[in-house]
Amino acid sequence: MFCIRHIGSNFLRAFKVPHLQKLVVNIGYSRTVEEYNINYKRLEERGEAYARWCDDIGLRHWVLAFDEGHRWGHMTTNLVECINSVLKGARNLPVLALVRATYYRLNELFTRKSAEAHERKRAGFTYSVFAQKRIETNMQQAGNIVVHQFDRRNEVFEVRDMASGKVSVVDLARRTCDCGHFQVERLPCRHVIACCANQRLDWQLYVHDVYKMTEIRKVYRFEFTPLGDPDTWPAYEGPTLVANPALRRTSKGRPKSVHPLTASPSMGRPNI
């Protein structure tokens, strides 16, 4: 899975057309095939070269509608991007200081997140903040939806949004909805909640376990071991590493901004 931020940056670098960068990002965020086709057609009309460039990436690597739910609705999946705010301040330190800073910053992050998850669970919340807010919003919007039952045994429904007039098909058994949000985020969208209310079903059955506080607490239960004083560390036994002088930072000009844990700043941001 590729990071949409990098794809947008690479597109801009390749074609120098900033007014189309947002359209490329929208293609990546397309949650349904229909939405993808509309956005892709708009890009193709502005130049076949732009569309061919996107084709070379591969749909399942960057478009939500084709990733089979592996992204959970997120488009920044690069590990360094996810923890960039934690590590970026340590990027210009010497190696030993950088490792130490990274270690302690991650320890602080896990300790804080673990405490927050524990407190939220103790306060009686079942789901994460994101899931809770999304569900509450969908509940408010579900009141304007009319449900027509088509297949009770297979849990297939047709719903009409009275505000927009748009018709969607909901398949609870397969956990899909024409809006795309149900299968992408694995949370009950407003159409699913409307169907559950109409049929007196429990919408919580359609919330994936990954959003439950019991599961989130497991993520941050890992504990870091104190490093102690370097004088107490065991003697190193292994290969001797020699720095490549060709990758040394230039002493002239303004240093380039890079992400932590990547190659030398002189190499710039890695291509996707």
Side-chain angles (χ1 to χ4, degrees):
M1 301 298 173
F2 297 148
C3 172
I4 191 63
R5 183 184 301 176
H6 285 158
I7 290 177
S9 297
N10 290 345
F11 177 84
L12 184 59
R13 186 181 301 115
F15 295 107
K16 307 296 189 300
V17 282
H19 63 286
L20 294 181
Q21 184 181 18
K22 180 62 175 178
L23 181 54
V24 171
V25 172
N26 288 340
I27 292 176
Y29 275 103
S30 300
R31 290 177 169 80
T32 64
V33 176
E34 178 187 19
E35 184 181 359
Y36 164 78
N37 289 334
I38 293 174
N39 288 326
Y40 181 86
K41 184 65 175 178
R42 289 175 58 197
L43 182 66
E44 190 176 39
E45 289 174 349
R46 286 159 175 78
E48 290 189 4
Y50 306 142
R52 300 295 86 79
W53 186 90
C54 293
D55 292 341
D56 291 339
I57 301 175
L59 290 176
R60 67 184 185 89
H61 292 305
W62 73 296
V63 181
L64 285 176
F66 300 95
D67 79 336
E68 299 179 352
H70 291 156
R71 286 184 182 268
W72 300 82
H74 296 280
M75 293 299 289
T76 302
T77 57
N78 181 283
L79 176 60
V80 176
E81 288 283 357
C82 295
I83 57 177
N84 190 38
S85 61
V86 179
L87 304 180
K88 195 168 186 178
R91 63 183 179 175
N92 291 324
L93 297 176
V95 174
L96 181 59
L98 185 149
V99 173
R100 180 185 289 273
T102 298
Y103 190 84
Y104 281 103
R105 289 183 183 208
L106 287 176
N107 172 67
E108 188 278 330
L109 174 68
F110 271 67
T111 302
R112 173 167 49 84
K113 288 293 186 179
S114 177
E116 291 175 357
H118 177 77
E119 179 60 27
R120 184 169 177 80
K121 181 70 170 61
R122 192 183 66 83
F125 291 98
T126 303
Y127 305 113
S128 68
V129 175
F130 167 80
Q132 191 70 37
K133 289 183 177 179
R134 182 57 56 88
I135 291 170
E136 289 175 356
T137 299
N138 290 341
M139 282 183 169
Q140 295 174 358
Q141 297 175 346
N144 293 326
I145 295 175
V146 176
V147 178
H148 298 283
Q149 177 183 329
F150 271 73
D151 191 336
R152 169 65 177 175
R153 181 173 59 87
N154 293 321
E155 300 178 311
V156 177
F157 305 88
E158 182 183 86
V159 299
R160 178 182 294 275
D161 191 324
M162 300 306 294
S164 64
K166 186 174 180 60
V167 176
S168 302
V169 175
V170 176
D171 189 329
L172 295 181
R174 296 181 179 177
R175 303 204 172 198
T176 62
C177 177
D178 285 350
C179 73
H181 290 272
F182 191 20
Q183 52 268 37
V184 167
E185 297 179 350
R186 306 188 201 184
L187 283 171
C189 61
R190 62 184 186 275
H191 307 115
V192 170
I193 291 178
C195 291
C196 290
N198 181 269
Q199 298 297 314
R200 297 182 180 179
L201 300 173
D202 185 2
W203 58 263
Q204 295 185 80
L205 296 174
Y206 304 102
V207 179
H208 197 281
D209 288 347
V210 75
Y211 293 107
K212 295 181 178 179
M213 294 309 305
T214 52
E215 298 299 314
I216 295 175
R217 288 182 62 187
K218 294 178 182 178
V219 175
Y220 298 106
R221 66 184 177 186
F222 176 83
E223 296 181 356
F224 288 74
T225 303
L227 293 178
D229 191 275
D231 292 338
T232 65
W233 296 355
Y236 172 73
E237 296 181 3
T240 300
L241 304 180
V242 179
N244 184 349
L247 299 181
R248 179 174 296 177
R249 182 196 301 268
T250 178
S251 59
K252 295 181 179 180
R254 183 177 180 180
K256 296 180 180 180
S257 176
V258 298
H259 295 285
L261 302 185
T262 58
S264 167
S266 62
M267 296 178 66
R269 181 174 296 176
N271 290 327
I272 297 174

